[in-house]
Amino acid sequence: MMGSGEWSIEKRSSFRSDSFSREIDNVPETGCLSIIVLGASGDLAKKKTFPALFNLYRQGFLPAEEVHIFGYARTKISDDELRNRIRGFLVDNKAASSKHSDDVLKFLELIKYVSGSYDTEDGFQKLDKEISEHEISKHSHEGSSRRLFYLALPPSVYPSVCKMIRKCCMNKSDLGGWTRIVVEKPFGRDLESAEKLSAQIGELFDEPQIYRIDHYLGKELVQNLLVLRFANRFFLPLWNRDNIDNVQIVFREDFGTDGRGGYFDEYGIIRDIIQNHLLQVFCLVAMEKPISLKPEHIRDEKVKVLQSVLPIKDEEVVLGQYEGYRDDSTVPDNSNTPTFATMVLRIHNERWEGVPFILKAGKALNSRKAEIRVQFKDVPGDIFKCKKQGRNEFVIRLQPSEAMYMKLTVKQPGLEMSTVQSELDLSYRQRYQGVVIPEAYERLILDTIRGDQQHFVRRDELKAAWEIFTPILHRIDDGEFKPIPYQPGSRGPVEADELLGKSGYVQTHGYIWIPPTL
Ligand SMILES: NC(=O)C1=CN([C@@H]2O[C@H](COP(=O)(O)OP(=O)(O)OC[C@H]3O[C@@H](n4cnc5c(N)ncnc54)[C@H](OP(=O)(O)O)[C@@H]3O)[C@@H](O)[C@H]2O)C=CC1
Ligand SMILES: O=C1O[C@H](COP(=O)(O)O)[C@@H](O)[C@H](O)[C@H]1O
């Protein structure tokens, strides 16, 4: 670091190696591609799915000669009405340029809307007809076209929608083309319902056709976890119970349920964030090294670590509900749904026995961030008496301002021999200036087109995930476990910080990492 907060950035060539790029067996396909967004009138479609498709289009991944996009939902609107609904979400930092608005117009022209129900054939037959007409117009040979169905819908309609796709909209024969479906989380409400849903969908589609999306797996720093852990000698010998005292995986939002109270109240923070997003991050932090980067090898390791998680203990759970949550008219006055949870997962294996993994997620807190915090044990026989300043911590900031930094003890610069906490800092905005980090959905949708399931959740992985949380979820649903009220804009219930302390986390006093500015 240079004086007055300036950072010196070494300009080095990229170290990206082609051999890392894709270790999958799929050969890239070309030919007519239809992307069908079901639930096109909804929140996710407008905020995430269409903007991600637009970004892929803008970067040349969805060439207009090959691609057509269909929106499908019950709402009766025209093509133009759908286009107008999503137009405002297709802006980014390049919005000012006329090239960008030109791209927006051309992209919107690719979109067609079909209205129909989710459980009767006529709407899906109409959809199939539209897709087929598009395929014919692109001179696609029957069977060689690709059809990607993105279910931006509540899981309750997945079975009927999948049945209709299977019955009316499949790629006609297998001549190099495919039909794939993308399903959103939460996939089920508990072990039983998720297994039922998996069985229903499994009867209609083979596992390689099903992409269970968890958008945290598309975040840059989540994708970096395997590289970090297994491509760096630094970490290999330290990543275990001998050196690591505790691990925190934290998600905080500084806003409440914001108009999604009806949806949220049915699920709660554990089903909304912890059982999927945080647990996926947990897998990547805790799993053993896969034998290769093939999706099945990675997912095998994730399943193993999930199956090694011990039952969650009551005394290692703190639930909260922010004050004012029930003011939402769509939330029942007596709702027992947690908007905050801290819970400790313990892994029964050789690497992690005794190390608490503290998963914390909350809405309406004092900040918005997601991070992984790996705290190391104290140095034995400390001759500098610096324990009180803090322990070594390795922090991976997933968002905002992607970064990883290592908190460590150094000599305080100057004549005295005293110690101080400092950091080794890799802040992406400084180190990778000018590099645009893709949105998670953008990356994952591209994977579905390429047939790469590495960053998607496999059926047995999902089952293992629900096995961990179902007992506690049932007790919350039955009102046996009550959330503690907390002030919006706070850190959540104080009991959660107490649990953190009991689990072994030692706060560094008088030190806070300030992201460097350019
Ligand atoms: N919104 C978000 O930020 C995120 C959402 N998700 C997941 O994505 C999926 C879609 O979410 P989101 O877009 O917010 O959901 P919405 O509530 O906006 O629903 C999407 C569309 O589905 C149709 N729909 C809504 N409720 C029902 C119902 N009970 N029965 C049949 N159709 C219904 C509506 O279309 P119409 O009436 O026109 O048919 C609606 O426009 C969900 O599984 C959600 O958990 C995941 C991550 C983030
Ligand atoms: O899946 C969900 O994620 C968002 C948070 O996503 P992020 O990428 O902004 O961290 C959360 O707000 C929402 O409740 C949940 O359904």
Side-chain angles (χ1 to χ4, degrees), residues 185 215-216 219 251 253 260 263 272-273 277 363 368 399:
K185 53 118 288 222
H215 77 275
Y216 266 59
K219 291 194 185 271
F251 166 96
E253 262 178 356
R260 291 177 75 216
Y263 151 80
D272 192 45
I273 303 288
H277 302 330
K363 292 206 171 253
R368 175 180 175 255
Q399 66 186 35

Side-chain angles (χ1 to χ4, degrees), residues 102-296:
D102 217 35
D103 284 346
V104 170
L105 289 179
K106 287 188 188 144
F107 172 76
L108 289 173
E109 276 167 26
L110 296 179
I111 301 178
K112 229 183 141 25
Y113 181 74
V114 178
S115 160
S117 76
Y118 297 121
D119 54 3
T120 53
E121 287 179 30
D122 43 339
F124 284 87
Q125 281 164 352
K126 204 159 86 189
L127 179 63
D128 182 61
K129 190 162 163 279
E130 295 282 355
I131 302 171
S132 301
E133 276 171 17
H134 153 66
E135 288 170 351
I136 292 164
S137 77
K138 302 276 155 136
H139 310 293
S140 190
H141 302 293
E142 199 190 13
S144 69
S145 319
R146 299 167 289 163
R147 295 184 174 193
L148 180 69
F149 292 87
Y150 193 112
L151 276 61
L153 285 166
S156 54
V157 294
Y158 290 174
S160 68
V161 167
C162 287
K163 214 183 275 173
M164 290 301 127
I165 296 172
R166 179 83 228 175
K167 204 155 185 192
C168 309
C169 299
M170 297 294 282
N171 188 28
K172 299 296 173 280
S173 62
D174 191 13
L175 294 172
W178 45 251
T179 305
R180 293 181 186 145
I181 59 158
V182 184
V183 288
E184 269 290 350
K185 53 118 288 222
F187 195 85
R189 283 185 52 76
D190 58 8
L191 180 59
E192 199 189 332
S193 57
E195 277 291 281
K196 188 171 164 207
L197 200 51
S198 287
Q200 286 169 324
I201 299 180
E203 274 176 22
L204 302 164
F205 294 96
D206 296 331
E207 188 63 23
Q209 295 178 291
I210 306 169
Y211 289 72
R212 295 179 196 85
I213 198 166
D214 182 315
H215 77 275
Y216 266 59
L217 289 175
K219 291 194 185 271
E220 181 66 37
L221 265 68
V222 175
Q223 298 218 330
N224 200 352
L225 283 169
L226 290 192
V227 183
L228 209 60
R229 282 194 56 201
F230 300 119
N232 290 294
R233 190 70 199 227
F234 273 149
F235 295 114
L236 294 176
L238 296 183
W239 213 256
N240 54 43
R241 64 192 299 269
D242 298 334
N243 301 288
I244 292 176
D245 189 273
N246 59 79
V247 179
Q248 284 183 70
I249 303 173
V250 180
F251 166 96
R252 302 166 158 275
E253 262 178 356
D254 55 0
F255 50 90
T257 49
D258 268 8
R260 291 177 75 216
Y263 151 80
F264 190 88
D265 198 67
E266 246 191 78
Y267 291 95
I269 199 78
I270 300 175
R271 293 182 177 99
D272 192 45
I273 303 288
I274 298 184
Q275 181 270 347
N276 31 70
H277 302 330
L278 297 197
L279 198 68
Q280 285 299 322
V281 174
F282 161 86
C283 287
L284 295 168
V285 171
M287 68 188 232
E288 297 299 313
K289 185 174 181 168
I291 53 177
S292 84
L293 289 177
K294 288 196 170 146
E296 296 324 321

Side-chain angles (χ1 to χ4, degrees), residues 11 65 126 258 276 302 316 341 346 450 466 473 478:
K11 298 280 178 214
E65 327 70 85
K126 204 159 86 189
D258 268 8
N276 31 70
K302 285 163 81 182
E316 296 198 317
R346 295 185 180 270
R450 289 173 167 169
W466 279 118
L473 284 168
D478 294 344

